[in-house]
Amino acid sequence: MAETGQAPVTAGIELGGTKAIALIARGQTILAQQAVPTRTPDETLADLAAILAGWQAEFAPTSLGIASFGPIAIDPAAPDYGHMLPTPKPGWTGADIVGALAPAVDGPCGFHTDVTAAALA
């Protein structure tokens, strides 16, 4: 296993129904973390994208992982991949989560449910 100082820098987003948490880490060491309230998709995703863009400039993460409340489209082959499916959360149906956040990081983006992310953790 690589030493923490040599581990890649990764970014993560946990998008919850009331708040979202963004973090940047090298291996298991969290370098920075910031929370924002979950409001409309435009407001929330713009805030998260701005945080990621700042970290891209400062830390140069090599990948992004997004864990989101749902229901969400998680099949990369589906035309609605990365989007929120019909949800009771006002304004969020159809929100393009991956499209709003992935461009802020130079590297691949993983996307799955917050439930699956918790199980994997």
Short mmCIF file of all heavy atoms in Angstrom, two decimals, residues 19-56:
data_model
loop_
_atom_site.label_atom_id
_atom_site.label_comp_id
_atom_site.label_asym_id
_atom_site.label_seq_id
_atom_site.Cartn_x
_atom_site.Cartn_y
_atom_site.Cartn_z
N LYS A 19 -28.32 18.67 3.41
CA LYS A 19 -27.00 19.30 3.25
C LYS A 19 -26.13 18.45 2.35
O LYS A 19 -26.38 17.25 2.17
CB LYS A 19 -26.33 19.53 4.60
CG LYS A 19 -25.79 18.28 5.25
CD LYS A 19 -25.01 18.64 6.53
CE LYS A 19 -24.39 17.42 7.13
NZ LYS A 19 -25.15 16.71 8.10
N ALA A 20 -25.12 19.08 1.79
CA ALA A 20 -24.14 18.38 0.97
C ALA A 20 -22.77 18.64 1.58
O ALA A 20 -22.49 19.74 2.07
CB ALA A 20 -24.18 18.90 -0.47
N ILE A 21 -21.95 17.60 1.56
CA ILE A 21 -20.60 17.72 2.09
C ILE A 21 -19.62 17.42 0.97
O ILE A 21 -19.71 16.39 0.31
CB ILE A 21 -20.38 16.76 3.27
CG1 ILE A 21 -21.38 17.05 4.38
CG2 ILE A 21 -18.94 16.85 3.78
CD1 ILE A 21 -21.41 16.02 5.48
N ALA A 22 -18.69 18.34 0.78
CA ALA A 22 -17.61 18.15 -0.19
C ALA A 22 -16.32 17.95 0.59
O ALA A 22 -16.11 18.58 1.63
CB ALA A 22 -17.49 19.38 -1.09
N LEU A 23 -15.49 17.04 0.10
CA LEU A 23 -14.19 16.87 0.74
C LEU A 23 -13.13 16.57 -0.29
O LEU A 23 -13.41 16.13 -1.40
CB LEU A 23 -14.23 15.81 1.84
CG LEU A 23 -14.45 14.36 1.47
CD1 LEU A 23 -13.18 13.66 1.03
CD2 LEU A 23 -15.02 13.63 2.67
N ILE A 24 -11.91 16.83 0.11
CA ILE A 24 -10.75 16.52 -0.70
C ILE A 24 -9.80 15.74 0.19
O ILE A 24 -9.62 16.09 1.36
CB ILE A 24 -10.11 17.81 -1.29
CG1 ILE A 24 -9.06 17.50 -2.34
CG2 ILE A 24 -9.54 18.70 -0.24
CD1 ILE A 24 -9.62 17.41 -3.72
N ALA A 25 -9.24 14.65 -0.33
CA ALA A 25 -8.40 13.79 0.50
C ALA A 25 -7.22 13.25 -0.29
O ALA A 25 -7.26 13.10 -1.51
CB ALA A 25 -9.22 12.63 1.05
N ARG A 26 -6.16 12.96 0.46
CA ARG A 26 -5.02 12.22 -0.08
C ARG A 26 -5.01 10.90 0.69
O ARG A 26 -4.78 10.90 1.90
CB ARG A 26 -3.71 12.95 0.10
CG ARG A 26 -2.52 12.17 -0.48
CD ARG A 26 -1.19 12.88 -0.28
NE ARG A 26 -1.11 14.16 -0.92
CZ ARG A 26 -0.85 14.37 -2.23
NH1 ARG A 26 -0.66 13.34 -3.03
NH2 ARG A 26 -0.78 15.58 -2.71
N GLY A 27 -5.36 9.82 0.00
CA GLY A 27 -5.51 8.55 0.71
C GLY A 27 -6.62 8.68 1.73
O GLY A 27 -7.72 9.12 1.41
N GLN A 28 -6.34 8.38 2.98
CA GLN A 28 -7.33 8.47 4.04
C GLN A 28 -7.23 9.77 4.82
O GLN A 28 -7.95 9.96 5.80
CB GLN A 28 -7.20 7.27 4.98
CG GLN A 28 -7.53 5.97 4.29
CD GLN A 28 -7.44 4.78 5.24
OE1 GLN A 28 -7.13 4.91 6.41
NE2 GLN A 28 -7.71 3.61 4.70
N THR A 29 -6.37 10.68 4.39
CA THR A 29 -6.20 11.95 5.08
C THR A 29 -7.05 13.03 4.41
O THR A 29 -6.83 13.37 3.24
CB THR A 29 -4.72 12.38 5.07
OG1 THR A 29 -3.94 11.36 5.68
CG2 THR A 29 -4.52 13.70 5.80
N ILE A 30 -8.01 13.57 5.14
CA ILE A 30 -8.85 14.64 4.61
C ILE A 30 -8.07 15.94 4.64
O ILE A 30 -7.58 16.37 5.69
CB ILE A 30 -10.17 14.75 5.40
CG1 ILE A 30 -10.99 13.47 5.22
CG2 ILE A 30 -10.96 15.98 4.96
CD1 ILE A 30 -12.24 13.40 6.06
N LEU A 31 -7.93 16.57 3.49
CA LEU A 31 -7.20 17.83 3.36
C LEU A 31 -8.09 19.04 3.58
O LEU A 31 -7.64 20.06 4.07
CB LEU A 31 -6.53 17.91 1.98
CG LEU A 31 -5.61 16.74 1.62
CD1 LEU A 31 -5.17 16.84 0.17
CD2 LEU A 31 -4.42 16.67 2.56
N ALA A 32 -9.34 18.93 3.18
CA ALA A 32 -10.31 20.02 3.35
C ALA A 32 -11.71 19.44 3.24
O ALA A 32 -11.92 18.41 2.59
CB ALA A 32 -10.10 21.10 2.29
N GLN A 33 -12.64 20.11 3.89
CA GLN A 33 -14.04 19.67 3.88
C GLN A 33 -14.92 20.90 4.01
O GLN A 33 -14.57 21.84 4.73
CB GLN A 33 -14.27 18.73 5.06
CG GLN A 33 -15.66 18.17 5.15
CD GLN A 33 -15.78 17.13 6.26
OE1 GLN A 33 -14.87 16.36 6.50
NE2 GLN A 33 -16.90 17.14 6.94
N GLN A 34 -16.03 20.88 3.30
CA GLN A 34 -16.96 22.01 3.36
C GLN A 34 -18.39 21.51 3.17
O GLN A 34 -18.63 20.67 2.31
CB GLN A 34 -16.61 23.05 2.29
CG GLN A 34 -17.33 24.35 2.45
CD GLN A 34 -16.77 25.43 1.53
OE1 GLN A 34 -15.68 25.31 0.99
NE2 GLN A 34 -17.53 26.47 1.35
N ALA A 35 -19.31 22.04 3.95
CA ALA A 35 -20.73 21.68 3.84
C ALA A 35 -21.52 22.86 3.32
O ALA A 35 -21.19 24.02 3.61
CB ALA A 35 -21.28 21.24 5.19
N VAL A 36 -22.54 22.56 2.54
CA VAL A 36 -23.47 23.59 2.05
C VAL A 36 -24.88 23.04 2.23
O VAL A 36 -25.10 21.83 2.13
CB VAL A 36 -23.22 23.96 0.57
CG1 VAL A 36 -21.85 24.56 0.37
CG2 VAL A 36 -23.42 22.79 -0.35
N PRO A 37 -25.86 23.91 2.47
CA PRO A 37 -27.23 23.43 2.58
C PRO A 37 -27.76 23.01 1.20
O PRO A 37 -27.40 23.60 0.18
CB PRO A 37 -28.00 24.62 3.11
CG PRO A 37 -27.17 25.82 2.75
CD PRO A 37 -25.75 25.35 2.71
N THR A 38 -28.57 21.97 1.17
CA THR A 38 -29.21 21.54 -0.07
C THR A 38 -30.43 22.44 -0.29
O THR A 38 -31.36 22.42 0.51
CB THR A 38 -29.63 20.06 0.00
OG1 THR A 38 -28.46 19.29 0.27
CG2 THR A 38 -30.27 19.60 -1.29
N ARG A 39 -30.35 23.23 -1.35
CA ARG A 39 -31.44 24.14 -1.72
C ARG A 39 -31.95 23.70 -3.08
O ARG A 39 -32.23 22.54 -3.27
CB ARG A 39 -30.92 25.57 -1.69
CG ARG A 39 -30.38 25.95 -0.29
CD ARG A 39 -29.64 27.28 -0.25
NE ARG A 39 -28.73 27.59 -1.34
CZ ARG A 39 -27.47 27.16 -1.45
NH1 ARG A 39 -26.95 26.35 -0.57
NH2 ARG A 39 -26.72 27.53 -2.46
N THR A 40 -32.06 24.60 -4.02
CA THR A 40 -32.44 24.20 -5.38
C THR A 40 -31.24 23.53 -6.05
O THR A 40 -30.09 23.74 -5.62
CB THR A 40 -32.85 25.42 -6.23
OG1 THR A 40 -31.70 26.22 -6.48
CG2 THR A 40 -33.94 26.24 -5.56
N PRO A 41 -31.47 22.75 -7.10
CA PRO A 41 -30.34 22.14 -7.80
C PRO A 41 -29.36 23.20 -8.32
O PRO A 41 -28.14 23.03 -8.17
CB PRO A 41 -30.98 21.37 -8.95
CG PRO A 41 -32.38 21.12 -8.53
CD PRO A 41 -32.75 22.27 -7.65
N ASP A 42 -29.87 24.27 -8.92
CA ASP A 42 -28.97 25.29 -9.47
C ASP A 42 -28.08 25.88 -8.39
O ASP A 42 -26.87 26.01 -8.58
CB ASP A 42 -29.77 26.41 -10.15
CG ASP A 42 -30.39 25.97 -11.47
OD1 ASP A 42 -29.99 24.94 -12.03
OD2 ASP A 42 -31.31 26.68 -11.95
N GLU A 43 -28.64 26.22 -7.25
CA GLU A 43 -27.86 26.82 -6.17
C GLU A 43 -26.88 25.83 -5.56
O GLU A 43 -25.69 26.13 -5.40
CB GLU A 43 -28.79 27.34 -5.06
CG GLU A 43 -29.66 28.50 -5.47
CD GLU A 43 -30.75 28.79 -4.45
OE1 GLU A 43 -31.34 27.83 -3.88
OE2 GLU A 43 -31.01 29.98 -4.21
N THR A 44 -27.37 24.67 -5.23
CA THR A 44 -26.55 23.67 -4.54
C THR A 44 -25.42 23.18 -5.44
O THR A 44 -24.25 23.14 -5.01
CB THR A 44 -27.41 22.48 -4.08
OG1 THR A 44 -28.50 22.98 -3.28
CG2 THR A 44 -26.60 21.49 -3.28
N LEU A 45 -25.74 22.80 -6.66
CA LEU A 45 -24.73 22.27 -7.56
C LEU A 45 -23.71 23.34 -7.95
O LEU A 45 -22.52 23.04 -8.10
CB LEU A 45 -25.38 21.62 -8.78
CG LEU A 45 -26.26 20.40 -8.46
CD1 LEU A 45 -26.99 19.93 -9.72
CD2 LEU A 45 -25.48 19.29 -7.81
N ALA A 46 -24.15 24.59 -8.09
CA ALA A 46 -23.21 25.68 -8.39
C ALA A 46 -22.24 25.88 -7.23
O ALA A 46 -21.02 26.07 -7.44
CB ALA A 46 -23.96 26.97 -8.69
N ASP A 47 -22.74 25.85 -6.01
CA ASP A 47 -21.86 25.98 -4.84
C ASP A 47 -20.84 24.85 -4.81
O ASP A 47 -19.64 25.08 -4.57
CB ASP A 47 -22.66 25.97 -3.54
CG ASP A 47 -23.41 27.26 -3.27
OD1 ASP A 47 -23.20 28.25 -4.01
OD2 ASP A 47 -24.21 27.27 -2.31
N LEU A 48 -21.30 23.62 -5.02
CA LEU A 48 -20.39 22.47 -4.98
C LEU A 48 -19.37 22.53 -6.12
O LEU A 48 -18.19 22.23 -5.92
CB LEU A 48 -21.19 21.17 -5.03
CG LEU A 48 -22.04 20.88 -3.80
CD1 LEU A 48 -22.99 19.72 -4.07
CD2 LEU A 48 -21.18 20.61 -2.58
N ALA A 49 -19.81 22.93 -7.31
CA ALA A 49 -18.89 23.04 -8.44
C ALA A 49 -17.82 24.10 -8.17
O ALA A 49 -16.64 23.92 -8.52
CB ALA A 49 -19.66 23.36 -9.72
N ALA A 50 -18.20 25.19 -7.53
CA ALA A 50 -17.22 26.24 -7.20
C ALA A 50 -16.20 25.73 -6.18
O ALA A 50 -15.00 26.02 -6.29
CB ALA A 50 -17.94 27.47 -6.66
N ILE A 51 -16.66 24.98 -5.20
CA ILE A 51 -15.75 24.39 -4.22
C ILE A 51 -14.76 23.46 -4.93
O ILE A 51 -13.55 23.53 -4.72
CB ILE A 51 -16.53 23.63 -3.12
CG1 ILE A 51 -17.31 24.62 -2.25
CG2 ILE A 51 -15.59 22.78 -2.27
CD1 ILE A 51 -18.37 23.96 -1.37
N LEU A 52 -15.29 22.58 -5.79
CA LEU A 52 -14.43 21.65 -6.51
C LEU A 52 -13.43 22.37 -7.41
O LEU A 52 -12.27 21.97 -7.50
CB LEU A 52 -15.28 20.68 -7.34
CG LEU A 52 -16.11 19.66 -6.56
CD1 LEU A 52 -17.05 18.92 -7.49
CD2 LEU A 52 -15.21 18.70 -5.79
N ALA A 53 -13.88 23.42 -8.07
CA ALA A 53 -12.98 24.18 -8.95
C ALA A 53 -11.84 24.80 -8.15
O ALA A 53 -10.68 24.80 -8.59
CB ALA A 53 -13.76 25.26 -9.70
N GLY A 54 -12.14 25.31 -6.98
CA GLY A 54 -11.08 25.86 -6.12
C GLY A 54 -10.10 24.78 -5.70
O GLY A 54 -8.88 24.99 -5.70
N TRP A 55 -10.62 23.62 -5.35
CA TRP A 55 -9.75 22.52 -4.95
C TRP A 55 -8.97 21.97 -6.14
O TRP A 55 -7.85 21.50 -5.98
CB TRP A 55 -10.55 21.42 -4.29
CG TRP A 55 -11.04 21.78 -2.92
CD1 TRP A 55 -10.57 22.80 -2.12
CD2 TRP A 55 -12.06 21.14 -2.18
NE1 TRP A 55 -11.25 22.82 -0.93
CE2 TRP A 55 -12.18 21.81 -0.94
CE3 TRP A 55 -12.90 20.07 -2.44
CZ2 TRP A 55 -13.09 21.43 0.04
CZ3 TRP A 55 -13.82 19.69 -1.47
CH2 TRP A 55 -13.90 20.36 -0.25
N GLN A 56 -9.55 22.02 -7.33
CA GLN A 56 -8.82 21.59 -8.52
C GLN A 56 -7.57 22.45 -8.69
O GLN A 56 -6.49 21.94 -8.95
CB GLN A 56 -9.71 21.67 -9.77
CG GLN A 56 -9.03 21.26 -11.06
CD GLN A 56 -8.62 19.81 -11.10
OE1 GLN A 56 -9.35 18.93 -10.65
NE2 GLN A 56 -7.46 19.52 -11.62
#
